[in-house]
Every structure is written in C-alpha cells, then in structure tokens.
C-alpha cells in the first residue's frame, strides 16, 4: 500500500478555464484525494491583476502576481496563461525543479513542444497537455497510449469550434459569413485575435500536435499547409449541399510514402468537401471531433466540446489526477 501524500499545486492563470480548475480542485478535494491517494493542495494562483473580475469566486489569499515564486516548490504546475512567454520560461523553471506540468497551451506546445518534452525527460518529470487540442475531448492520451500498439494511418479533425460554428450556420441556416461570425464572437468561441481562427492558425497548431503524436515524429507548425475559411462563400456552401457534401475546416495528418519508398507525414488545414454520410459531417455548431484511421483498430471517432471553461477544465483535471497518481506511485 502506498503512503498518502500532500502535493502542492500551483495554478498559473485564472481565465475561464483556470477559474473552473481552481473551483473543481477546491470543491472536489476529498474525492480527488480518494482517487489519487494524494491531497491536491492548491497553494496559489498567479495572475496579472488580482482584482480583475473572475467567472468564479475564489479565496483572495490564493492570488499572487509573483508567478516565479509560486512555481518554486510546487509539485505540480498547471499553466493556463496562454501565449509563449512568460509561460515557456515558467514551465521550464518548473520542470527543472522536478515538478510535473499540465498545460492547455496549444500555441506553446505547437511551437516549443519538443524543447519542453526534452526538459521534462531530463529530470523524469511529466508534461501533459490533453486540454491543448479539442478541449474536453480525450485525444492526446488515446493517440499516445491507447493506440500505441497500432499504426495510425490518418487523422482528420474538426479542431476549431468557431469556424465549424460559422460554416455550420451558413450551411444549415443560410446565415451570411458576417452574421455567423458575429454570433460566434458573442458566444465567446473566437480567439482574442479572430484571425487565428478564421485563417486556420489555431487549427494548424492543433494539427502539429496531433500529427507529432500520431506519427511519433516532430511536425513543425511551419510545415503544416494552412488555408482558412475567409474565402468560402454562401454560393460554394450551397453548391456543396447540392452535390451531397458539406464544407468543413479540416486538420488532416497522414503518413505518406514517396515513390522512392521514403516515408513522411503530411499535415494540412483547409476547408474540405466531405460527404454528408461521413460521421464528421454530423459535427454541428461549435463542437469538435477527431476521426482516426489505423491499421488494426480501423476507424475511431472522438467527439465533444472543443472549448469552454468547465469543459476544458475536465481535461486539465484528468492530467492533474494522472500527475498526482504518478507522484504517489513514485513515493
Ligand atoms: N478559438 C478556439 C476554437 C478555442 O474556436 O476552437 C478552443 O481552442
């Protein structure tokens, strides 16, 4: 029987996801302890402005503006600040100190995943980022672990909820692109810079992460072909419907073999025509789905909420529980 341990959890960022993670950590303390054999003690939440309004009321004494200090001495660091710096520097510091790190930061993992994974490996720490792709949907762990004994041949993903929402409104309700985009914005689906969504940058970051894991190789984001949805017109959507198809912004990653036998990975994001009978055609609104084709398992589809504070917090908590169990097992 393993001994009960208290683990110090430091949270960096308290936006819509961070606030829900903090709430769940505090409210589910006993349940999480029973599941992990560890007391997950939220020791602090680093934010830029302590007085900023939050989605959830949290004890004021938990807040600090000193992220560097908070990271020191933590057993698990949960990074939900977003952006490259200071998130990258703080994660490196946490890993160098031996802490496990959980992050939802897709831009950071897409750009610096290998560097961070190396830093984690050097000290035997765990870096996990289930929430970085497709929000609540478990897809990183299934690709990395559940399908580890299989050969994945292709991954097709609707991994950007806002563009799926826009295209879906245009297709099913005849909305103009402008109207659909306005509603997507009101619903909070878009990034602060909506260009990241509509020009496919967000989906390309997620494609990089999926491709790298599915094909056990580094696929830099610069290598992902990218085309957004800004050129898509209502007439094109109408024409697709008449042809029995639907236009979806897809992130596609597949293994290719060249004529000379060399193997490579193609990763691309573009508005693709898919048959209305394909399961991905039934992914409506702001939902996400990842369709995986593999040699032994055949076709699999992972479907659900690709964004949202509480939904994404579910994926973060899953990684936290996994990190806590690892600490407990490691003594
Ligand atoms: N802007 C993103 C989307 C949020 O629309 O999917 C979740 O990553």
């Amino acid at each position: 029987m393993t001994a009960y341990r208290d683990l110090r959890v430091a949270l960096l960022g308290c936006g819509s996801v961070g606030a829900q993670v903090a709430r769940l950590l505090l409210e589910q303390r006993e349940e999480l302890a029973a599941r992990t054999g560890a007391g997950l003690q939220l020791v602090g939440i680093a934010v830029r402005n302590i007085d900023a309004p939050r989605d959830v009321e949290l004890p004021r004494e938990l807040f600090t503006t000193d992220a560097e200090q908070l990271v020191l001495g933590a057993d698990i660091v949960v990074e939900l600040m977003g952006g490259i710096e200071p998130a990258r520097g703080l994660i490196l510091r946490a890993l160098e100190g031996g802490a496990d790190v959980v992050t939802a930061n897709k831009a950071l993992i897409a750009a610096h995943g290998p560097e961070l994974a190396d830093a984690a490996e050097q000290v035997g720490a765990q870096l996990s980022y289930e929430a970085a792709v497709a929000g609540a949907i478990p897809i990183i762990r299934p690709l990395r672990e559940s399908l580890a004994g299989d050969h994945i041949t292709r991954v097709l993903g609707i991994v950007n909820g806002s563009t799926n929402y826009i295209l879906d409104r245009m297709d099913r309700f005849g909305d103009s692109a402008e109207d659909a985009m306005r509603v997507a914005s009101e619903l909070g689906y878009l990034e602060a810079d909506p260009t990241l969504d509509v020009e496919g940058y967000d989906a390309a970051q997620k494609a990089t992460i999926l491709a790298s894991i599915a094909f056990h190789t580094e696929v830099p984001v610069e290598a992902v072909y990218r085309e957004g949805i800004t050129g898509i017109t209502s007439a094109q959507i109408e024409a697709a419907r008449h042809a029995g198809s639907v236009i979806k912004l897809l992130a596609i990653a597949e293994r290719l073999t060249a004529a000379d036998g060399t193997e490579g990975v193609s990763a691309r994001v573009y508005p693709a025509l898919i048959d209305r009978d394909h399961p991905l055609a039934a992914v409506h609104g702001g939902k996400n789905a990842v369709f995986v084709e593999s040699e032994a398992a055949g076709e699999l589809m992972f479907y659900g909420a690709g964004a949202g504070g509480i939904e994404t917090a579910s994926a973060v908590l899953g990684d936290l529980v996994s990190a806590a169990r690892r600490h407990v097992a490691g003594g």
Side-chain angles (χ1 to χ4, degrees):
M1 183 153 160
T2 46
Y4 182 88
R5 289 193 52 185
D6 271 329
L7 295 173
R8 296 166 58 85
V9 179
L11 181 56
L12 310 179
C14 198
S16 58
V17 181
Q20 295 295 344
V21 168
R23 178 177 72 78
L24 293 171
L25 267 176
L26 296 173
E27 286 180 8
Q28 302 182 0
R29 195 191 299 259
E30 285 175 19
E31 202 178 334
L32 290 170
R35 282 189 202 169
T36 61
L40 291 167
Q41 307 290 343
L42 180 59
V43 291
I45 307 172
V47 291
R48 268 200 302 263
N49 175 7
I50 290 177
D51 296 314
R54 317 250 173 247
D55 292 356
V56 175
E57 204 167 315
L58 296 162
R60 192 180 163 83
E61 62 272 17
L62 283 176
F63 287 95
T64 174
T65 53
D66 193 344
E68 304 231 349
Q69 185 63 35
L70 183 62
V71 161
L72 295 175
D75 296 300
I76 304 173
V77 172
V78 181
E79 185 277 309
L80 300 171
M81 315 165 90
I84 304 297
E85 295 293 354
R88 174 180 158 275
L90 289 164
I91 288 177
L92 283 173
R93 187 155 307 187
L95 292 170
E96 282 157 12
D100 286 339
V101 171
V102 176
T103 177
N105 193 330
K106 56 203 167 184
L108 180 63
I109 295 298
H112 296 283
E115 177 196 21
L116 299 176
D118 284 351
E121 196 180 333
Q122 275 181 19
V123 295
Q126 180 171 287
L127 170 72
S128 44
Y129 44 88
E130 184 62 72
V133 178
I137 304 173
I139 186 63
I140 303 293
R141 193 169 283 113
L143 290 179
R144 198 196 290 286
E145 293 175 19
S146 318
L147 291 165
D150 205 338
H151 289 108
I152 294 169
T153 48
R154 193 159 72 134
V155 178
L156 303 172
I158 294 174
V159 290
N160 182 270
S162 46
T163 48
N164 197 55
Y165 181 84
I166 292 167
L167 293 173
D168 192 47
R169 293 286 312 186
M170 292 170 76
D171 178 49
R172 293 202 296 154
F173 304 104
D175 284 13
S176 68
E178 295 71 28
D179 283 350
M181 175 122 170
R182 188 177 38 74
V183 183
S185 169
E186 285 165 9
L187 289 169
Y189 290 163
L190 290 157
E191 298 293 307
D193 173 5
T195 314
L196 296 174
D197 293 300
V198 295
E199 295 295 356
Y201 291 99
D202 176 85
Q205 288 168 351
K206 294 163 178 168
T208 292
I209 298 171
L210 292 177
S212 301
I213 295 172
F215 300 113
H216 315 281
T217 184
E218 276 178 38
V219 180
V221 72
E222 299 76 26
V224 180
Y225 171 81
R226 178 191 51 76
E227 194 184 315
I229 65 161
T230 48
I232 300 297
T233 63
S234 297
Q236 288 170 326
I237 290 194
E238 183 69 19
R241 181 163 350 101
H242 282 298
S245 303
V246 61
I247 300 177
K248 296 282 189 191
L249 185 72
L250 290 189
I252 303 177
E254 64 187 324
R255 189 180 290 289
L256 295 177
T257 309
D260 65 0
T262 50
E263 292 223 321
V265 173
S266 161
R268 49 202 195 272
V269 168
Y270 61 95
L273 275 177
I274 54 176
D275 197 283
R276 286 207 178 247
D277 292 337
H278 193 283
L280 286 173
V283 178
H284 297 301
K287 287 286 199 294
N288 281 194
V290 183
F291 191 85
V292 179
E293 298 167 0
S294 70
E295 284 179 8
E299 297 177 343
L300 303 162
M301 188 157 102
F302 302 81
Y303 167 87
I310 182 78
E311 295 88 345
T312 308
S314 162
V316 173
L317 259 288
D319 279 350
L320 245 174
V321 164
S322 157
R325 285 179 174 155
R326 213 178 71 93
H327 270 272
V328 171

